[in-house]
Amino acid sequence: MKERINNHNGKLWWGLGVGVGVVAGAHFLRRWVAERRLPPLFKARASAGVALITGASSGIGATYAEYLAQAGYDLILVARRRERLEALAESLRTRTGVMVEVLPADLGFPEDVGRVAARIESLPALDFLINNAGYGRSREFAASAVNEELHMAHVHVDASLRLTRAALPGMLARGRGAVVNVASVMAFYPLPGGATYTATKAALVGFTRALHQELQGTGVRVQALCPGLTRTEFHQAANLSITQAPGIAWLSTDQVVAHSLRDLAADAVISVPGLGYAALVGVSGVFPPVLFDGIGTAYQALRRVKPASAAGGAFDGFSRRRYESLGQVTGELRAIFQRRAELRKAMRLLDPAFRERLMLTVTQVNGCRYCAQAHARMALEGGLAQEEIEALLSGVTAACPADELTALLYAQHWAESGGAPSAAARATLLECYGEERTAAIEMALRMIQVGNLSGNTFDYLLYRLSGGRWGK
Ligand SMILES: NC(=O)c1ccc[n+]([C@@H]2O[C@H](COP(=O)([O-])OP(=O)(O)OC[C@H]3O[C@@H](n4cnc5c(N)ncnc54)[C@H](OP(=O)(O)O)[C@@H]3O)[C@@H](O)[C@H]2O)c1
């Protein structure tokens, strides 16, 4: 029985691995081909045509406006905030010389959608339609006001369908044009609190895929753009605490729009910017329903935990020093790797017990629980007494050998200053230990600092993912 379960798990992981590999391979190949074969529609030229963008007053929509104006398209910008649209229009006119019209409308209301549709039908030609307007809310469906849920459905679905219907006859008659419907990765990952959002974005994906089949060979392209977390005003407007997600999860609007345009050139009907998100969407089709339920339950549990930030607006309950970005970690590791010969020499120069006292001293300041455990064990093996280890982990160096005290005090100061000691402290160290041993001591301090900060960063991720329950 156990063997069958293992076999089954093995197959599932193998299947997922192949899925991710295939998605990544297809993604790179498609981009490579797309970048080499941009059709005329997407190449900058004197008068590229006309593009209408909904939700152009900020975020992804404003970035589409920027890209298409740079490519020579005259624009019609739609959203509710007239002043934001006018400011963007003025800036684009001045910088790019294209014509920009502002058309304020609330796409949650049929009369406003009707006005925009009528404007499309009155144009001699529309080359690009970007159905981007949208917003999110985190609320449980059963407890929400039904009119609010329907308003979202009108903005996301009804408006997109109606505007697409208004745009297609002209595009088909001219044998060219493109429609982008901005959906979301949430179309593939339903989550509690987002029932209507998920449903409306999934509807856009289904609509676009069917339309893509209907439009084969007509010269008109359609795309469902499915971004993951993107830095815009979206999350703040929706009051979503997801703004606390780690930096690596976020896309920029430039990444999203450039990806969409490249995929449009390759006639890809589903566009998912970011390799990680593309893999997630790729494997979502093979997930058994029970896995979605598990993800949903975990997410629901996290939503219900009051984040540690509730009072201060930030996860400020985690106070240990940590890395702020993946770039910092890789930069430090690269620097250590490049100086590995120096490091080996430094480690040989320092007596193992002295080295462990330095490690424990820095660890005490930075408070990394993983390094404290590992170096307590190494210190025991290196001949330190249990009491001395406990004293060092409480910040007490008095019982240490007298000739090491200057270095240990320096280690404390070095860690407290985040690796930027004062010139006076360094001069004392140099005077006491000379050039070579000072360099070796500093190398040891730097190495343990990397260990401490990496451990703390791991804890910080736990802390954030658990809404403040673990990792502290
Ligand atoms: N940011 C993300 O992480 C993310 C991820 C996946 C999908 N998306 C999708 O991307 C699209 C653009 O969002 P964004 O991230 O760029 O957020 P954003 O900066 O908040 O922009 C949303 C745009 O939609 C407009 N809008 C909202 N409600 C409207 C209404 N009733 N009528 C007309 N316009 C309306 C807003 O303009 P006004 O307020 O001036 O009306 C604004 O221009 C949305 O469809 C969203 O669902 C975003």
Side-chain angles (χ1 to χ4, degrees), residues 54-61 78-82 84-85 105-108 131-136 151 155-156 182-185 197 201 225-235 237 250 253:
T54 71
S57 59
S58 64
I60 296 171
V78 180
R80 288 165 305 180
R81 289 170 292 177
R82 176 190 285 275
R84 291 278 286 260
L85 292 179
D106 184 334
L107 299 179
N131 287 312
N132 162 76
Y135 63 95
H151 183 270
V155 176
H156 291 174
V182 180
S184 166
V185 285
Y197 187 81
K201 294 299 185 180
L225 171 65
C226 301
L229 290 177
T230 308
R231 289 194 194 282
T232 65
E233 298 172 17
F234 180 90
H235 306 93
W250 291 91
T253 56

Side-chain angles (χ1 to χ4, degrees), residues 126-418:
L126 179 69
D127 300 90
F128 237 117
L129 169 65
I130 314 279
N131 287 312
N132 162 76
Y135 63 95
R137 289 283 176 275
S138 181
R139 56 191 175 204
E140 303 209 350
F141 188 76
S144 69
V146 74
N147 281 345
E148 290 183 9
E149 301 297 328
L150 291 176
H151 183 270
M152 181 182 281
H154 291 322
V155 176
H156 291 174
V157 183
D158 298 11
S160 303
L161 265 59
R162 190 141 178 219
L163 300 186
T164 304
R165 182 66 185 77
L168 281 180
M171 290 182 178
L172 287 170
R174 289 188 308 283
R176 65 189 209 110
V179 178
V180 175
N181 292 316
V182 180
S184 166
V185 285
M186 274 195 70
F188 304 89
Y189 283 87
L191 285 176
T196 304
Y197 187 81
T198 297
T200 53
K201 294 299 185 180
L204 281 180
V205 170
F207 168 65
T208 312
R209 291 173 95 159
L211 202 55
H212 182 254
Q213 291 169 10
E214 288 180 18
L215 296 173
Q216 290 290 311
T218 62
V220 180
R221 295 178 180 196
V222 284
Q223 176 188 97
L225 171 65
C226 301
L229 290 177
T230 308
R231 289 194 194 282
T232 65
E233 298 172 17
F234 180 90
H235 306 93
Q236 203 186 354
N239 204 13
L240 290 170
S241 60
I242 196 76
T243 41
Q244 304 297 337
I248 198 168
W250 291 91
L251 300 164
S252 69
T253 56
D254 276 319
Q255 267 173 292
V256 170
V257 171
H259 191 97
S260 158
L261 295 177
R262 269 197 303 269
D263 274 353
L264 208 46
D267 200 15
V269 61
I270 304 292
S271 177
V272 187
L275 202 51
Y277 287 115
L280 272 179
V281 168
V283 297
S284 67
V286 298
F287 274 12
V290 65
L291 200 52
F292 284 109
D293 291 348
I295 296 171
T297 310
Y299 180 75
Q300 185 76 322
L302 289 181
R303 283 175 74 226
R304 288 188 173 147
V305 172
K306 197 166 171 238
S309 60
F315 273 76
D316 45 14
F318 191 96
S319 54
R320 277 177 280 147
R321 196 172 290 135
R322 62 185 163 82
Y323 289 119
E324 299 292 336
S325 68
L326 192 63
Q328 271 185 346
V329 188
T330 52
E332 287 275 22
L333 291 177
R334 200 177 325 113
I336 292 227
F337 181 74
Q338 280 164 352
R339 297 176 67 186
R340 60 194 181 283
E342 251 177 277
L343 184 66
R344 272 197 298 270
K345 191 173 155 214
M347 293 302 110
R348 276 198 303 270
L349 209 68
L350 303 176
D351 164 66
F354 177 36
R355 218 166 52 205
E356 288 311 322
R357 287 190 188 97
L358 290 170
M359 301 283 179
L360 290 170
T361 304
V362 173
T363 299
Q364 186 273 324
V365 175
N366 288 326
C368 170
R369 54 184 170 153
Y370 308 103
C371 294
Q373 207 173 20
H375 283 285
R377 203 187 57 240
M378 285 156 78
L380 268 177
E381 287 164 9
L384 270 71
Q386 174 90 23
E387 300 74 51
E388 189 187 354
I389 295 171
E390 282 170 12
L392 281 166
L393 285 174
S394 323
V396 180
T397 52
C400 300
D403 63 336
E404 293 179 10
L405 277 181
T406 308
L408 295 176
L409 288 174
Y410 178 77
Q412 264 172 354
H413 164 68
W414 188 92
E416 276 159 6
S417 64

